[in-house]
Amino acid sequence: MNVNRFQIIASSSHPHYRDLVRGLTKAAWPEFMLHDAVANENWHELLDSFADYQLAMYDVENNRAAAMANGFPLRWDDTLENLPDGGWDWAFAEAVRNHKQGISPNYHCAIQVVIHPDYQSQRLSAPMVKAVRGLAKSKGLNALIIPVRPSEKSKYPLISLDDYVTWQNEEGLPFDAWLRVHVRLGGRMVKVCHQSKTVRGRRAEWEAWTGLKFPQSGRYVIPDALVPIEMDVEKDEGIYVEPNVWMVHFPA
């Protein structure tokens, strides 16, 4: 990474943060992932309540955000091995609840680290994860926890994530590129969270989001999904329940 070109900025300290990151999430994710009810209800809290925890990688030369990391502090007093199966959705709702009730946090949870498609393959992922890990340390929190979405799992939607995370490359590192980034930086895979994100929609909505047709009830493989969706034509409802991987990074 060119340190003169790319700078880590925080929403709480950069006056144009909102403008710089606008549209980055939409550019980085498939359309259906933007319709998680927990995210839609609470997304404003990221900047309203947790501004110190929102980072971006600023491309000085082109005056735009190349990457972004979003997260929040939360309280977890059990072991990491018992982190909830609800993953992403649980963490977001819990952090908001903690904040509103004045509960002191002890972990930093990142819910996304995204690289703009124009900047992928420029080795920006590791510096962003390091920045988020450093933020957790600067706040005096126990560790950084992340419900990680494996980047290549969508190529193998019929394989369980429990099996997928055991796959390794020739170096004995995780087969998945995004999991590999975390492990190389000292991250540890804790467990699979099987119900990390839930997206519900009517059949017409799923057809608009995916460009596919769903003539009958059943399980369907859709582009960019980690697992199939369940479509119930009679109820006019499709449900996607995405598993992620709880990863922990202790302060370096």
Side-chain angles (χ1 to χ4, degrees):
M1 184 186 77
N2 185 334
V3 295
N4 295 317
R5 177 182 174 185
F6 296 105
Q7 299 176 356
I8 300 296
I9 62 173
S11 65
S12 58
S13 60
H14 196 287
H16 303 298
Y17 180 91
R18 289 176 184 260
D19 293 332
L20 288 169
V21 302
R22 184 172 289 116
L24 207 162
T25 295
K26 187 175 180 63
W29 293 104
E31 176 64 30
F32 68 88
M33 289 292 286
L34 305 177
H35 299 277
D36 176 299
V38 174
N40 290 342
E41 179 181 353
N42 296 294
W43 197 258
H44 67 95
E45 298 282 0
L46 293 176
L47 292 177
D48 292 348
S49 302
F50 308 115
D52 285 352
Y53 291 83
Q54 315 316 313
L55 303 179
M57 184 174 287
Y58 176 51
D59 179 352
V60 177
E61 292 182 5
N62 294 293
N63 190 34
R64 61 185 298 204
M68 177 173 65
N70 301 112
F72 33 66
L74 56 74
R75 187 81 192 180
W76 180 250
D77 291 318
D78 205 335
T79 65
L80 292 174
E81 285 69 26
N82 285 332
L83 279 166
D85 216 30
W88 201 101
D89 284 348
W90 166 82
F92 209 156
E94 184 70 3
V96 171
R97 184 185 71 84
N98 289 173
H99 178 74
K100 291 181 177 179
Q101 295 181 1
I103 297 173
S104 178
N106 57 354
Y107 283 93
H108 176 203
C109 180
I111 53 169
Q112 71 169 2
V113 178
V114 294
I115 312 299
H116 192 285
D118 293 346
Y119 291 87
Q120 290 177 2
S121 301
Q122 295 189 37
R123 299 185 177 181
L124 302 183
S125 298
M128 280 304 298
V129 174
K130 288 180 181 179
V132 180
R133 185 181 63 189
L135 177 61
K137 182 178 181 179
S138 72
K139 296 293 185 181
L141 300 173
N142 292 349
L144 166 67
I145 55 175
I146 312 175
V148 174
R149 185 180 203 258
S151 60
E152 296 173 283
K153 174 63 173 69
S154 61
K155 299 176 183 177
Y156 309 92
L158 302 182
I159 299 296
S160 75
L161 187 54
D162 295 88
D163 287 338
Y164 181 80
V165 297
T166 68
W167 294 3
Q168 296 182 336
N169 65 8
E170 297 79 4
E171 302 174 73
L173 293 169
F175 172 85
D176 186 85
W178 190 214
L179 293 178
R180 201 159 57 242
V181 168
H182 286 278
V183 169
R184 280 178 168 156
L185 292 174
R188 176 172 68 87
M189 284 189 282
V190 178
K191 61 185 290 189
V192 171
C193 41
H194 297 90
Q195 300 172 4
S196 190
K197 283 180 71 69
T198 299
V199 179
R200 298 174 182 269
R202 301 177 67 178
R203 179 166 59 161
E205 291 176 318
W206 279 104
E207 290 179 346
W209 298 339
T210 65
L212 301 177
K213 295 293 184 182
F214 303 98
Q216 66 180 51
S217 297
R219 300 174 76 237
Y220 288 84
V221 172
I222 63 173
D224 301 314
L226 306 195
V227 295
I229 69 164
E230 295 279 353
M231 180 62 65
D232 189 320
V233 172
E234 291 184 357
K235 293 182 178 179
D236 191 23
E237 182 180 51
I239 302 176
Y240 173 68
V241 181
E242 178 171 291
N244 291 155
V245 181
W246 275 119
M247 184 78 68
V248 60
H249 289 263
F250 291 100

